[in-house]
Amino acid sequence: MRVEPGPPALEPFRALMSRTVVLPHANIDTDQIIPARFLTTLARTGLGPLAFHDWRYHPGGAPKDDFVLNTITAADHRILVAGDNFGCGSSREHAPWALTDFGFRAVISTKVADIFTSNALKNGLLPIEVDAATHARLIAAPGADVVVDLEAREVRFDGRTTAFEVEPFGRRCLLDGVDPLGFILSRLPVIEAFEKARAA
Amino acid sequence: MAPPHPPHPRTLFDKVWKSHVVEPEAPDRPALIHVDLHLVHEVTSPQAFSELNARGLEVRRPDLTIATIDHSTPTLAAGPDGRRPYVTARAEAQVAALRGNCARHGIELFDWESPNRGVVHVIGPEQGLTWPGMVVVCGDSHTSTHGAFGALAFGIGTSEVGHVLATQCLFQRRPRTLRLRIDGRLPPGVGAKDLALAVVSTLGFSGGTGHVIEYAGEAVRGLGMEGRMTLCNMSIEAGARAGMVAPDETAVDYLRGRPRAPVGDAFDRAAERWLALAGDDGAAFDGEISLDASALVPMATWGSSPDQASAVDAAIPTPGTATARRALDYMRLEPGKPLIGTPVDVVFVGSCTNGRISDLRAAAAILRDRRIDPRVRMLVAPGSEAVRREAEAEGLHEIFLAAGAEWRLPGCSMCIAMNGDQVRPGKLAVSTSNRNFEGRQGPGARTILASPATAAASAVAGAVADPRTYAVASHAG
Ligand code: SF4
């Protein structure tokens, strides 16, 4: 049995300038991001080729020439712009693992599901919610150059700047490469005291 | 003048949350929350265990951790050589990895031989592991099921599974609260699944995002625990973090005598604490919505997300959005035509939404002395070994077999279709599970979500059918 090491140390994330990939459909759920039949893996790496598998390949396995992920170079398309309400459904962390392994570092939508957001922030993928007007402009401009500035909490595109909110702890983990498990482990004395008080 | 209610009236959620805060939220980090019960299964845990193993960490509270195998396990029996028909060697390796990790860390695993094995959200309640007032987590979004007991129960990702294994704690932002009052009584032939689909279609696919829903009102009180589990189970389909129902005598009665519930005096003392968890009069919610149960009818989905649902006897809607149009294209359904009568290829009864004994009884009540349409393949997968034993003791399996359905071993089966139980491309399934996403039941599979009664009626008709036309006693479970 192959033993997978811990998560790769995350590169700190400050600002990112990249072209966008647009998937305009609303309600893209985690079953679309990576279908369940690929979840029998013991690894968290190497899932990029499975991202959007059933949209990306014909049933026989040949890539669909007209599907956007098959037409771009991942290295300079690191921002995914998705239709309304992204990442709903299953809690599978394989979804952000597949997206980051493909090369994405940020995903922009009008709404991003709770568990997906939590999972993404732990894996160097920044989920960004923007207003409908900004979203519509981004959707209409596939391949546009966009700056995602986590320090300033701004998306800059087409000469305009849009502020976004990000959960402060997740932001800190991304900015400074903080390891959340290490951080919780540092709270063990408090956890022990809590358990002792409760047992009393 | 006496105050009308306690000086600081609190909701059920407030009470459960407060008693689990190890460290309160600060501007730069969420609250640290203690977990009472961590349920683990083979699919979302291997990378978490690997991380612990790579860092040389132990599982901190194996006594609060229970593992089962359910997602990728075959539902066909072992062959004469004792080998289980796993879909792939990888699926088998994943189960072996969980077995190894549980042995290494001293975690109790409900393995193949265990009489307790089953779908993770079915076994927690039925073993009496889930108690009111607990915080319950699992690497699975339908952990919301356990909220039926007044527990705060929610799904987490694999990294968080690792956090809980290593520390028994979790960082969480305090969610907002939403009270959903469901007044009136469910009409005959309308069950908890119909109610759940009505709730999800009312709230919309992301209407609950960031919220914990507390279900209240006469219709919720009137549900048995299994129905409440079905309702809470689908909270996540509206994007909610969790669903909860205040513990009452129904919950206490359900738990009394369960294998892992407290016993004797300890039970009575626990029951008193549990009953005190109900929200105080006048407690404030961030949002309130109400629904009338008495107007409900059997529901079915017509699209490719669970909120795209309407009355089973309604016409297929005319799409008002690109999303709806895309969904109808995928489903190959024609707007304006009745959904009833649409030919069905596969019927699945099971899952953590509808794989409990009351669900199997509801399906069997319709199948008794009837045969399913010969063109339909019907699978019944009980939610657990305990459900399987109970069903077989009542002879339900004989009703399913005599009707022409397959009686399988417990597991997630066609709910997630990762164990080989799949709907073939283009085929249409009526399923009692919780998700009808594109490809959820297999690549190209088309799924209609419905209650066990509607699923069974559709199997008999060979087409989507209204269970009310098959005269049976009402199913409120
Ligand atoms: S039955 Fe379906 S929803 Fe429930 S735990 Fe299994 S895969 Fe998840």
Side-chain angles (χ1 to χ4, degrees), chain B residues 41 70-71 119-121 140-142 233 350-353 411-413 415-416 433-435 440:
Chain B
H41 63 85
D70 55 359
H71 281 64
V119 176
V120 63
H121 310 307
D140 186 287
S141 58
H142 291 96
N233 173 278
S351 87
C352 61
T353 312
C412 298
S413 184
C415 172
I416 190 163
S433 54
N434 43 54
R435 287 186 175 141
R440 169 79 177 187

Side-chain angles (χ1 to χ4, degrees), chain B residues 102-393:
Chain B
C102 287
R104 172 170 176 174
H105 292 283
I107 294 170
E108 185 179 4
L109 169 67
F110 296 160
D111 206 335
W112 282 113
E113 298 71 33
S114 169
N116 303 335
R117 193 185 69 81
V119 176
V120 63
H121 310 307
V122 176
I123 61 170
E126 94 190 349
Q127 292 302 316
L129 288 160
T130 306
W131 300 357
M134 277 185 165
V135 168
V136 180
V137 300
C138 172
D140 186 287
S141 58
H142 291 96
T143 309
S144 56
T145 313
H146 307 260
F149 291 83
L152 175 61
F154 52 91
I156 56 179
T158 296
S159 294
E160 289 176 322
V161 169
H163 299 176
V164 179
L165 288 174
T167 68
Q168 203 58 27
C169 286
L170 198 62
F171 278 130
Q172 278 291 302
R173 288 273 163 203
R174 189 186 161 73
R176 291 187 291 277
T177 54
L178 175 68
R179 176 160 57 186
L180 186 49
R181 276 188 68 88
I182 310 170
D183 295 312
R185 286 197 198 167
L186 288 174
V190 181
K193 178 62 163 291
D194 302 306
L195 183 53
L197 287 169
V199 164
V200 173
S201 70
T202 302
L203 287 176
F205 199 32
S206 63
T209 303
H211 289 79
V212 166
I213 301 173
E214 181 172 337
Y215 298 98
E218 186 189 357
V220 178
R221 297 271 137 247
L223 290 175
M225 288 315 295
E226 299 199 352
R228 294 181 192 182
M229 287 186 242
T230 301
L231 181 61
C232 287
N233 173 278
M234 290 196 67
S235 307
I236 182 74
E237 297 340 318
R241 277 304 259 156
M244 297 176 92
V245 177
D248 58 5
E249 291 296 342
T250 306
V252 170
D253 288 345
Y254 178 97
L255 283 165
R256 190 178 287 114
R258 299 263 157 195
R260 309 288 172 108
V263 238
D265 286 352
F267 184 87
D268 295 336
R269 283 195 305 275
E272 213 172 294
R273 281 197 312 274
W274 295 340
L275 293 172
L277 288 167
D280 303 323
D281 287 343
F285 292 82
D286 297 310
E288 304 230 20
I289 293 183
S290 60
L291 264 179
D292 178 12
S294 60
L296 276 180
V297 294
M299 300 284 290
T301 59
W302 47 263
S304 58
S305 68
D307 64 323
Q308 291 173 325
S310 53
V312 70
D313 59 358
I316 296 162
T318 307
T321 61
T323 307
R325 209 164 308 126
R326 181 182 157 92
L328 284 177
D329 280 353
Y330 181 83
M331 291 300 292
R332 297 187 214 157
L333 292 175
E334 211 180 301
K337 282 182 86 175
L339 188 64
I340 285 181
T342 307
V344 167
D345 305 297
V346 176
V347 168
F348 174 65
V349 174
S351 87
C352 61
T353 312
N354 284 129
R356 286 171 288 265
I357 190 70
S358 58
D359 303 311
L360 302 192
R361 285 180 190 142
I366 286 187
L367 292 179
R368 189 186 302 273
D369 301 325
R370 291 197 174 103
R371 298 245 346 139
I372 65 172
D373 187 284
R375 288 163 303 185
V376 172
R377 175 184 183 214
M378 179 173 180
L379 244 71
V380 185
S384 69
E385 288 292 346
V387 172
R388 178 162 81 117
R389 281 192 299 276
E390 199 170 352
E392 290 183 354

Side-chain angles (χ1 to χ4, degrees), chain A residues 105-186:
Chain A
R105 297 297 308 275
V107 49
I108 305 178
S109 177
T110 49
K111 206 171 218 181
V112 185
D114 289 341
I115 308 181
F116 182 88
T117 296
S118 163
N119 286 340
L121 287 170
K122 292 179 180 68
N123 288 282
L125 180 69
L126 176 62
I128 298 173
E129 292 180 346
V130 294
D131 61 275
T134 305
H135 185 246
R137 288 193 295 120
L138 284 163
I139 290 272
D145 280 314
V146 171
V147 174
V148 165
D149 186 336
L150 178 57
E151 249 178 333
R153 278 168 290 188
E154 284 172 3
V155 172
R156 294 192 288 274
F157 152 65
D158 198 16
R160 290 194 236 192
T161 296
T162 306
F164 64 85
E165 288 186 29
V166 52
E167 194 276 302
F169 183 68
R171 174 167 176 263
R172 203 172 118 200
C173 290
L174 280 182
L175 278 177
D176 305 338
V178 172
D179 155 36
L181 175 54
F183 193 81
I184 299 194
L185 286 168
S186 77

Side-chain angles (χ1 to χ4, degrees), chain A residues 23-83:
Chain A
L23 289 175
H25 317 301
N27 303 336
I28 295 175
D29 62 84
T30 55
D31 274 278
Q32 309 315 313
I33 301 171
I34 179 167
R37 61 189 187 280
F38 300 121
L39 306 187
T40 52
T41 177
L42 299 176
R44 60 166 87 209
T45 51
L47 302 181
L50 303 174
F52 296 101
H53 184 280
D54 291 353
W55 290 3
R56 199 165 148 199
Y57 304 99
H58 290 289
K64 293 184 181 169
D65 295 336
D66 57 347
F67 185 64
V68 59
L69 295 195
N70 296 328
T71 65
I72 52 140
T73 43
D76 55 5
H77 289 79
R78 315 201 72 187
I79 301 172
L80 175 63
V81 175

